């Protein structure tokens, strides 16, 4: 008999195939990284890196990049991309943002986590770990979706939650990382003074060659949180209702006449260590 306990956080992200969604985020990943003033040899950690939407462009700019992600399929996809692109300054390994025990203290000049660490459990441990592995004088840059924001991802998660079972006791919503007071409290507890934390509203644009409804179909088939919402909705006979709500959302938010381009607002957090 197996005594292995299921890690729901890991299972959620290994479900489906986030690389399919990441395809629509590459342009914004590159744009974000190009604004980080990376220099060759800079030691960069990308936490919750997926298959490398930000890790790959960081390595292409000459940084020494390690991507850490809880999902083994995304780590494998990231390593395959690094090999294919001939980037020997980029590697990916499995790890949990709440407990980066395999990484030494103060090892990185820059720690990036774009819509990654926000999904890990135990946010105070996440802040502590991100601070611990950053060298004094280094930076942490997080991208976090904002609760109640009217743009795409916050709305997908809001609509989906209405169809999903109540989360277990003690569950802290990832969206709390999009609230400045929470971010300050978490990093302050990890020893960072308030004046070392800066906030900015920024935009990620989802670009997809097909229609908005086809992009929704990618989310429905490959994005763990949306897959779970559809499973729960289907068990309640509300699948068509969820489909209609999300289809309206994707189409309303599209700004392209010929394909799909949907801008989504996020909270960019910069911590000076
Ligand atoms: C929305 S995706 C973003 C991926 C990537 N940063 C990007 O911009 O494409 C969230 C990522 O966080 C990862 N993740 C979730 N929980 C995590 C945890 N506890 N530790 C490390 N990574 C985690 C998921 O596996 C997934 O790759």
């Amino acid at each position: 008999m197996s005594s292995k306990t299921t890690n729901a956080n890991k299972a959620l992200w290994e479900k489906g195939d986030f690389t399919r969604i990441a395809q629509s985020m590459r342009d914004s990943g590159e744009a974000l990284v190009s604004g980080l003033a990376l220099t060759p040899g800079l030691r960069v950690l990308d936490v919750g890196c997926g298959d490398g939407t930000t890790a790959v462009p960081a390595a292409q700019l000459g940084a020494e990049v390690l991507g850490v992600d809880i999902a083994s399929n995304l780590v494998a996809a990231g390593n395959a991309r690094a090999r294919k692109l001939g980037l020997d300054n980029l590697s990916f390994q499995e790890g949990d943002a709440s407990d980066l025990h395999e990484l030494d203290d103060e090892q990185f000049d820059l720690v990036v986590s774009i819509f990654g660490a926000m999904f890990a459990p135990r946010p105070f441990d996440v802040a502590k770990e991100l601070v611990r592995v950053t060298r004094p004088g280094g930076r942490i840059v997080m991208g976090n979706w904002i609760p109640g924001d009217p743009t795409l991802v916050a709305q997908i998660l809001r609509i989906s939650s209405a169809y999903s079972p109540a989360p277990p006791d003690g569950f802290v919503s990832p969206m709390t990382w999009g609230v400045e007071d929470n971010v300050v409290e978490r990093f302050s507890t990890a020893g960072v003074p308030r004046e070392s934390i800066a906030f900015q509203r920024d935009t990620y644009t989802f670009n997809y060659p097909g229609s908005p409804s086809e992009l929704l179909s990618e989310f429905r088939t490959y994005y763990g949180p949306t897959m779970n919402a559809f499973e729960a909705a289907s068990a309640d006979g509300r699948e068509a209702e969820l489909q209609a709500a999300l289809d309206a959302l994707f189409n309303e938010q599209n700004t392209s006449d010929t394909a799909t381009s949907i801008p989504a607002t996020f909270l960019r957090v910069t911590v000076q260590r």
Side-chain angles (χ1 to χ4, degrees):
M1 195 170 74
S2 167
S3 61
K4 235 174 137 183
T5 52
T6 306
N7 178 340
N9 174 226
K10 183 174 166 67
L12 173 68
W13 292 99
E14 287 180 348
K15 190 168 182 149
D17 181 1
F18 186 75
T19 69
R20 299 287 295 237
I21 309 302
Q23 302 293 338
S24 63
M25 301 166 77
R26 302 290 194 222
D27 298 341
S28 289
E30 275 177 34
L32 186 144
V33 167
S34 73
L36 291 178
L38 298 189
T39 45
L42 200 82
R43 293 161 304 165
V44 175
L45 173 68
D46 191 334
V47 180
C49 55
D51 68 344
T53 291
T54 41
V56 164
Q60 285 170 328
L61 289 172
E64 292 293 324
V65 185
L66 174 65
V68 167
D69 200 283
I70 196 134
S72 57
N73 54 330
L74 299 178
V75 167
N79 279 322
R81 289 187 77 209
R83 269 195 308 277
K84 193 169 171 202
L85 293 164
L87 292 168
D88 55 14
N89 54 335
L90 170 62
S91 63
F92 294 80
Q93 67 186 44
E94 265 186 63
D96 185 341
S98 315
D99 177 8
L100 295 167
H101 63 269
E102 62 285 347
L103 302 181
D104 291 340
D105 295 356
E106 303 181 356
Q107 218 186 313
F108 296 95
D109 303 300
L110 171 65
V111 174
V112 178
S113 189
I114 305 302
F115 323 126
M118 67 173 287
F119 290 103
R122 307 194 306 281
F124 283 88
D125 289 353
V126 170
K128 192 183 78 183
E129 286 296 77
L130 297 183
V131 171
R132 180 182 68 76
V133 299
T134 309
R135 73 161 171 83
R139 272 176 301 163
I140 301 167
V141 175
M142 283 184 95
N144 301 330
W145 300 119
I146 303 168
D149 184 84
T151 61
L152 186 74
V153 183
Q155 290 301 312
I156 294 176
L157 297 172
R158 180 189 64 76
I159 291 168
S160 299
S161 71
Y163 292 82
S164 306
D169 282 352
F171 176 82
V172 181
S173 165
M175 301 300 280
T176 56
W177 273 109
V179 177
E180 294 183 16
D181 285 350
N182 292 330
V183 176
V184 168
E185 189 188 12
R186 291 165 188 176
F187 280 113
S188 303
T189 305
V192 176
R194 168 69 187 87
E195 57 274 19
S196 299
I197 308 169
F199 296 103
Q200 200 186 330
R201 299 267 155 155
D202 207 338
T203 304
Y204 240 62
T205 301
F206 289 77
N207 288 325
Y208 181 73
S211 69
S213 300
E214 286 166 335
L215 178 59
L216 167 57
S217 171
E218 293 285 296
F219 273 77
R220 183 173 174 164
T221 314
Y222 298 110
Y223 181 60
T226 310
M227 294 166 75
N228 278 352
F230 271 102
E231 274 171 28
S234 145
D236 284 350
R238 299 169 71 205
E239 205 175 341
E241 203 183 298
L242 174 58
Q243 171 69 26
L246 290 175
D247 196 56
L249 173 73
F250 276 67
N251 280 282
E252 279 159 20
Q253 305 250 335
N254 182 29
T255 61
S256 167
D257 292 330
T258 51
T260 301
S261 185
I262 303 182
T265 307
F266 68 98
L267 180 67
R268 179 166 168 157
V269 179
T270 305
V271 175
Q272 288 294 338
R273 171 86 160 81

